[in-house]
Amino acid sequence: MTINTMAKGGWHRDQMSCFRKMEKVIVAMQDPDMGMKMRNQRLLITVIPHAMTGRDIIDWLMKKNNICEEESLHISGLLVRYGYIYPLKEPRSLVLRPDESPYRFQTPYFWTSTRWPASELDYAIYLAKKNIRKQGELMEYEKERYSVLHKRINHTWDFVVMQAREQLRASKQRRKADRIVLECQEQAYWLINRPPPGARNVLDMGLERPNNTARVTLNSEHYKNEIDTCKRALGRNRVKSSICLEGFMKYSEQYQNHDPIMQGCLPSNPWISDDSAHWTMNLETVPTPTRLRVERWSFSFMELLNDVMGRREFMTYLEKEFSGENLAFWQACEDIKHGESSRIVEKVEEIYRNFLAPGAPRWVNIDSKTMDKTLSGIRHPHRFVMEDAQMHIYFLIKKDSYPRYLKSDLYKNMLAKGIVPQETKKSVFPFMRRQRHSSPSPAQVATQATEDGGNAKGAGQAGTNSAAGSNV
Amino acid sequence: MAAEKAEMDVLKKECDGLRTQIEAARKGVNDGNMATAAGSATDVGRVQLKLRKSLKGHLAKIYSMHWASDSRSMVSASQDGKLLVWDSHTGNKLVAVPLKSAWVMSVAFAPSGNLVASGGLDNMCTVYNIKAASPKTLRELDAHTGYLSCARFLSDSEILTASGDTTCCLWDLETGKQKIVFTNHIGDCMSLALSPDENTFVSGACDSLAKLWDLREGTCKQTFSGHTSDINAIQFFPNGKAFVTGSDDCACKMYDLRSDQEVITYQDASLNAGVTSLTLSNSGRLIFAGYDDFNCHIWDSLKGEKVGVLSGHDNRVSCTGVPADGMGVCTGSWDSFLKLWN
């Protein structure tokens, strides 16, 4: 039963933290004074000492940590799935049944964190023992793995068989009860570390990422490219940090009221109240937009343009000023940039006809340099042929028409008309309100309990009212 | 041989020289730090989000999820070989797309809502039309020589992918061909994020670098270093002027594009697990980062403090996402569940 630890420093730190937490719970459970009361359980004709029932585990966790049954089931389920507690009946089914089913604590020798990763050698010895003990006791998948191992570590096979025989001999000299216990513990360990096919492997760490340098050859070609990239990067415009950081602050502040996670939203958050009124009010096109939405149009030009209704309103304003062709031009250019490649040529032609040709019906005013560049580019149309012209018009509208729009009556009326929804009352059925957040940390509860003994119990009871989850 | 090596050494030296110059230029504009700038911001306090829904349906690890632009539907991918499109409000499954290859690592929703894309160890990005009577494969984009780690649609005709072969690629969906290949990383590209104006994107890779790319020219505009291990997740700050990265070195960092440098690190001595995914709330104030320790921790992006935690998963949190209307957060995990919180 000696199991070698393989990677001595190669422990994956990410699994460690949850194991340490689980081990704290386990140790508390086995505390001689405050821990669980264990009794003997009968397994067929043998009596197993120091065992407990699933029900006991759940009750103890509920009482000690002041949590509801659902949470207790969840935690104890984790303890079983990670091998800290194992079932005596139906050992292959790693679930915690809240009834009279017997469970035992796994010995620290076999804790997942103590000896991980499990070595092939130890697994081979284990399977060999099973094979020798009773011919044909191995399950189908174990037989397969056995023969695979036999091929892979054939050179040490004599050692494997010898160890297996030795361990079996040693175990025969133990009392039957102890022998069964050890066998159960070992079996539980291997069920976690070498799960049967189909069972979830809780120790799965995901894909091994290949060595970095293996993919790209660091030759002169690579360095020449690097130099070009660095030169380009060096030449970038840089803005003072203080200004940039101010920018983030302002942005967060400005959008705080528009961030439902921070401030909630009206009439109610559909995820909480199950009432989708908020979504209906904020569809792409509604008869009257909400006040918040119209407010956002004033935050930046892009906000206005990105909102279908905003764009429409702005277009109405521009038409009044006889400068609607600018926005129409911008939209047509966007369409080319993001649309199908097959239609680029026809779209470019249409733009030329409508906006750029001399005497065009919706002629846009671009400076001559950009116009010349664009016209020559049109001869070989591609996705970004209108980019310069589009940028020119964009900045024109942004600097000129946009600020005036925000000061216009049209916009101000829109803002005034904007809906500010009434907050709908909270759910009418207080009994069905579910306590979905997990309970406060036991440390907090302990101090609370000493201050006010009755309060803690009350919280626990409210918790147990919750129906079995809002599961779908 | 010796001549070649000599040449390489000269080039390497020039490279290093340029990099030092870049660092100096960055220092030159660094006249403030986030801590002082954020001093005047109101405290966020303790952020306690409640679990609103738990979506069950997948039978194996969930690797990726993405919200649709209508903020109600979302798509999730699991290694049970299925893509599921959910209505987050009712919790119903709208569409189930069976995958040819079960080893999926990434999924994306097109802004139009008509298409979804997925890919993984099959090195391909497959695009499906989910508005058809039954989901139809529209395109199989097959040119990467490594696994597909991330995909994002620009529109119904263009898609951007990041791959374990260290390149990112812009594809034309009409022809199914590569338009631009972005090469510069020397490690597997793990994640990418599109800027709000769709002119640039950033990518994070196993070489611990984040790079900013110009979508039109296909060139790398800037490289950001600072992490000491693989960058797994990357997202833009909503104003498009900064981005946040999450890495296996257990830290998240925010990099500012205008001052061209790292502005703040989100790190805590007690957090000893790698970051697998991250997303930001609409105002950019809160960062939701999923970790290997089965939790999703919430950071105040401006003050750099941990302000909350979302606990409830039984295995690592592999993906997180906030919908466009910012209603809440969705976390997906290797325990096969998706949870919605706000």
Side-chain angles (χ1 to χ4, degrees):
Chain A
M1 253 125 357
T2 9
I3 296 188
N4 307 311
T5 32
M6 256 170 40
K8 286 238 179 257
W11 173 267
H12 289 250
R13 53 174 181 229
D14 33 47
Q15 290 282 52
M16 194 81 178
S17 55
C18 70
F19 283 161
R20 260 194 254 120
K21 291 178 196 169
M22 283 192 236
E23 282 157 20
K24 274 203 191 128
V25 177
I26 291 287
V27 165
M29 283 170 99
Q30 294 180 73
D31 183 276
D33 302 313
M34 302 295 291
M36 296 196 51
K37 298 276 171 291
M38 296 186 275
R39 37 196 138 125
N40 296 340
Q41 295 284 332
R42 295 193 80 85
L43 189 70
L44 302 176
I45 48 168
T46 335
V47 173
I48 312 284
H50 306 307
M52 56 255 174
T53 65
R55 190 74 246 167
D56 289 340
I57 297 175
I58 303 217
D59 289 340
W60 188 90
L61 281 171
M62 275 171 68
K63 198 161 144 236
K64 174 83 161 70
N65 298 304
N66 198 32
I67 54 183
C68 63
E69 173 151 353
E70 196 187 343
E71 198 170 346
S72 178
L73 251 170
H74 185 208
I75 296 182
S76 44
L78 280 178
L79 292 173
V80 173
R81 248 180 291 143
Y82 281 84
Y84 287 96
I85 298 180
Y86 62 91
L88 291 170
K89 241 195 312 186
E90 283 180 63
R92 289 178 194 282
S93 165
L94 293 173
V95 281
L96 190 116
R97 282 175 235 280
D99 53 23
E100 300 304 305
S101 322
Y103 292 85
R104 275 192 111 238
F105 290 111
Q106 178 65 285
T107 168
Y109 180 86
F110 277 125
W111 278 357
T112 322
S113 57
T114 329
R115 22 211 89 255
W116 189 88
S119 80
E120 285 197 319
L121 195 60
D122 289 327
Y123 192 43
I125 296 173
Y126 167 67
L127 289 177
K129 269 198 302 186
K130 264 187 125 180
N131 207 21
I132 298 172
R133 195 164 59 214
K134 199 198 283 185
Q135 280 288 352
E137 193 179 73
L138 290 178
M139 310 209 67
E140 227 15 82
Y141 73 91
E142 285 174 329
K143 285 194 193 128
E144 275 174 40
R145 291 182 187 170
Y146 190 53
S147 57
V148 165
L149 281 170
H150 182 77
K151 280 194 207 102
R152 201 155 51 211
I153 54 174
N154 201 303
H155 49 284
T156 56
W157 206 251
D158 291 337
F159 175 71
V160 168
V161 177
M162 186 187 74
Q163 271 289 304
R165 289 220 174 91
E166 185 56 39
Q167 290 180 11
L168 278 174
R169 193 189 58 77
S171 74
K172 278 206 177 70
Q173 299 182 336
R174 293 200 181 86
R175 280 174 39 221
K176 183 159 182 212
D178 289 344
R179 190 164 17 133
I180 294 188
V181 161
L182 250 32
E183 275 169 21
C184 284
Q185 286 173 343
E186 197 180 23
Q187 177 181 50
Y189 175 82
W190 287 112
L191 276 172
I192 307 279
N193 282 277
R194 290 285 187 270
R200 208 173 305 155
N201 183 357
V202 289
L203 300 178
D204 191 350
M205 294 305 298
L207 285 179
E208 274 292 315
R209 304 240 179 99
N211 195 348
N212 280 346
T213 51
R215 294 258 187 208
V216 179
T217 25
L218 300 173
N219 55 13
S220 335
E221 183 69 36
H222 168 87
Y223 283 110
K224 287 200 186 116
N225 283 333
E226 261 307 289
I227 290 175
D228 281 337
T229 316
C230 285
K231 285 196 178 133
R232 231 187 339 241
L234 187 57
R236 288 185 80 211
N237 269 337
R238 289 181 184 82
V239 179
K240 282 205 167 29
S241 289
S242 47
I243 302 180
C244 304
L245 297 174
E246 260 305 300
F248 298 135
M249 298 292 305
K250 286 219 175 75
Y251 187 91
S252 281
E253 238 172 302
Q254 194 178 46
Y255 278 83
Q256 183 153 330
N257 282 339
H258 301 254
D259 183 344
I261 297 181
M262 303 272 299
Q263 299 284 117
C265 68
L266 301 169
S268 62
N269 191 314
W271 287 22
I272 303 179
S273 65
D274 281 344
D275 166 28
S276 51
H278 174 90
W279 281 330
T280 332
M281 276 185 217
N282 282 295
L283 285 173
E284 237 181 33
T285 20
V286 279
T288 330
T290 59
R291 169 85 59 88
L292 276 180
R293 183 173 173 180
V294 181
E295 215 178 279
R296 275 204 292 277
W297 298 348
S298 68
F299 287 175
S300 77
F301 191 34
M302 276 320 287
E303 275 284 357
L304 178 67
L305 288 181
N306 282 338
D307 184 338
V308 167
M309 280 200 75
R311 220 189 272 192
R312 241 189 15 213
E313 285 297 308
F314 189 48
M315 180 63 106
T316 320
Y317 172 75
L318 289 176
E319 298 285 2
K320 280 208 183 136
E321 300 214 320
F322 302 108
S323 53
E325 67 277 359
N326 287 336
L327 187 60
F329 176 67
W330 182 87
Q331 268 176 201
C333 295
E334 278 291 288
D335 198 29
I336 295 186
K337 268 204 326 209
H338 299 295
E340 307 115 311
S341 314
S342 50
R343 297 191 53 204
I344 290 184
V345 174
E346 83 176 70
K347 284 184 186 171
V348 170
E349 275 177 20
E350 206 179 311
I351 289 191
Y352 175 73
R353 261 201 322 267
N354 285 329
F355 299 99
L356 298 173
R362 307 193 78 183
W363 193 78
V364 287
N365 196 351
I366 310 178
D367 67 285
S368 50
K369 189 162 155 232
T370 318
M371 181 64 97
D372 288 340
K373 192 166 169 213
T374 312
L375 288 179
S376 62
I378 288 181
R379 289 200 209 110
H380 309 280
H382 60 95
R383 196 173 283 267
F384 300 104
V385 69
M386 294 290 173
E387 183 93 0
D388 290 338
Q390 186 184 8
M391 277 286 109
H392 179 92
I393 294 291
Y394 175 82
F395 283 117
L396 190 68
I397 315 179
K398 181 175 170 183
K399 288 216 166 74
D400 184 35
S401 317
Y402 175 60
R404 279 189 290 117
Y405 169 64
L406 293 180
K407 295 201 189 97
S408 71
D409 288 332
L410 205 61
Y411 176 72
K412 292 207 173 111
N413 285 339
M414 205 76 214
L415 192 60
K417 268 193 329 180
I419 301 180
V420 180
Q422 288 281 40
E423 180 179 8
T424 49
K425 285 262 156 68
K426 285 272 167 62
S427 168
V428 204
F429 307 104
F431 329 106
M432 279 171 52
R433 201 179 313 148
R434 298 176 179 117
Q435 296 277 343
R436 289 257 107 239
H437 56 88
S438 61
S439 44
S441 141
Q444 286 179 337
V445 174
T447 48
Q448 232 181 30
T450 50
E451 284 165 22
D452 178 4
N455 228 6
K457 280 218 191 82
Q461 275 170 2
T464 46
N465 272 345
S466 62
S470 59
N471 300 326
V472 196
Chain B
M1 269 307 292
E4 248 184 70
K5 187 159 184 316
E7 185 197 358
M8 267 226 313
D9 285 339
V10 164
L11 291 171
K12 247 198 249 186
K13 239 180 138 183
E14 190 179 345
C15 238
D16 289 336
L18 283 167
R19 291 208 186 112
T20 328
Q21 283 185 298
I22 295 180
E23 282 310 313
R26 285 171 168 167
K27 264 214 166 68
V29 290
N30 193 4
D31 66 340
N33 74 356
M34 190 63 118
T36 15
S40 57
T42 39
D43 225 12
V44 164
R46 181 127 193 104
V47 176
Q48 274 184 316
L49 301 186
K50 300 202 173 124
L51 175 63
R52 303 296 169 186
K53 282 207 164 59
S54 209
L55 302 177
K56 297 190 202 215
H58 281 299
L59 305 170
K61 301 198 205 103
I62 294 179
Y63 261 80
S64 174
M65 60 84 47
H66 195 209
W67 283 98
S69 38
D70 67 358
S71 301
R72 268 188 77 151
S73 341
M74 55 177 211
V75 63
S76 61
S78 158
Q79 291 203 334
D80 62 3
K82 286 248 171 16
L83 290 186
L84 290 179
V85 180
W86 307 80
D87 175 346
S88 62
H89 186 51
T90 56
N92 291 336
K93 303 176 202 28
L94 299 172
V95 184
V97 183
L99 300 171
K100 259 201 221 158
S101 158
W103 303 108
V104 63
M105 292 175 65
S106 172
V107 77
F109 225 126
S112 63
N114 299 330
L115 310 172
V116 294
S118 74
L121 290 182
D122 55 356
N123 296 2
M124 288 196 315
C125 177
T126 316
V127 179
Y128 304 88
N129 178 349
I130 52 164
K131 292 292 184 190
S134 76
K136 236 174 53 140
T137 307
L138 188 70
R139 282 261 170 259
E140 279 180 352
L141 306 173
D142 189 2
H144 277 301
T145 52
Y147 58 84
L148 197 90
S149 52
C150 190
R152 284 291 176 259
F153 282 94
L154 279 91
S155 62
D156 274 7
S157 39
E158 290 182 301
I159 189 171
L160 200 52
T161 55
S163 165
D165 65 6
T166 74
T167 65
C168 296
C169 182
L170 179 67
W171 305 78
D172 179 340
L173 280 175
E174 283 172 90
T175 57
K177 297 264 184 307
Q178 289 178 308
K179 278 214 284 206
I180 309 181
V181 183
F182 303 88
T183 9
N184 199 271
H185 277 297
I186 55 174
D188 305 8
C189 286
M190 294 308 297
S191 168
L192 62 85
L194 263 179
S195 69
D197 63 11
E198 293 196 359
N199 286 333
T200 58
F201 73 97
V202 286
S203 64
C206 290
D207 54 10
S208 69
L209 302 172
K211 288 183 189 281
L212 173 71
W213 307 83
D214 184 317
L215 263 171
R216 255 195 69 186
E217 292 164 28
T219 50
C220 169
K221 298 209 326 191
Q222 187 53 282
T223 302
F224 300 88
S225 58
H227 279 296
T228 51
S229 184
D230 308 354
I231 295 181
N232 293 323
I234 197 165
Q235 282 291 338
F236 264 96
F237 192 83
N239 71 355
K241 306 231 171 62
F243 62 91
V244 185
T245 53
S247 160
D248 266 352
D249 64 7
C250 312
C252 297
K253 285 177 193 286
M254 187 193 294
Y255 293 91
D256 174 33
L257 291 177
R258 289 190 303 169
S259 63
D260 196 39
Q261 56 197 277
E262 176 188 330
V263 294
I264 189 170
T265 301
Y266 307 98
Q267 202 170 28
D268 188 292
S270 65
L271 270 184
N272 208 15
V275 181
T276 57
S277 54
L278 61 87
T279 185
L280 287 98
S281 73
N282 264 12
S283 60
R285 189 68 196 266
L286 299 175
I287 298 177
F288 300 93
Y291 287 75
D292 279 340
D293 72 353
F294 305 4
N295 292 325
C296 178
H297 294 273
I298 312 177
W299 292 89
D300 176 338
S301 64
L302 300 177
K303 299 214 182 217
E305 301 163 341
K306 215 155 68 94
V307 291
V309 66
L310 305 175
S311 299
H313 283 294
D314 292 348
N315 210 320
R316 77 163 66 156
V317 176
S318 54
C319 48
T320 50
V322 168
D325 64 4
M327 230 21 101
V329 204
C330 175
T331 53
S333 161
W334 277 12
D335 67 3
S336 80
F337 299 130
L338 293 156
K339 291 187 194 273
L340 303 176
W341 317 72
N342 66 7

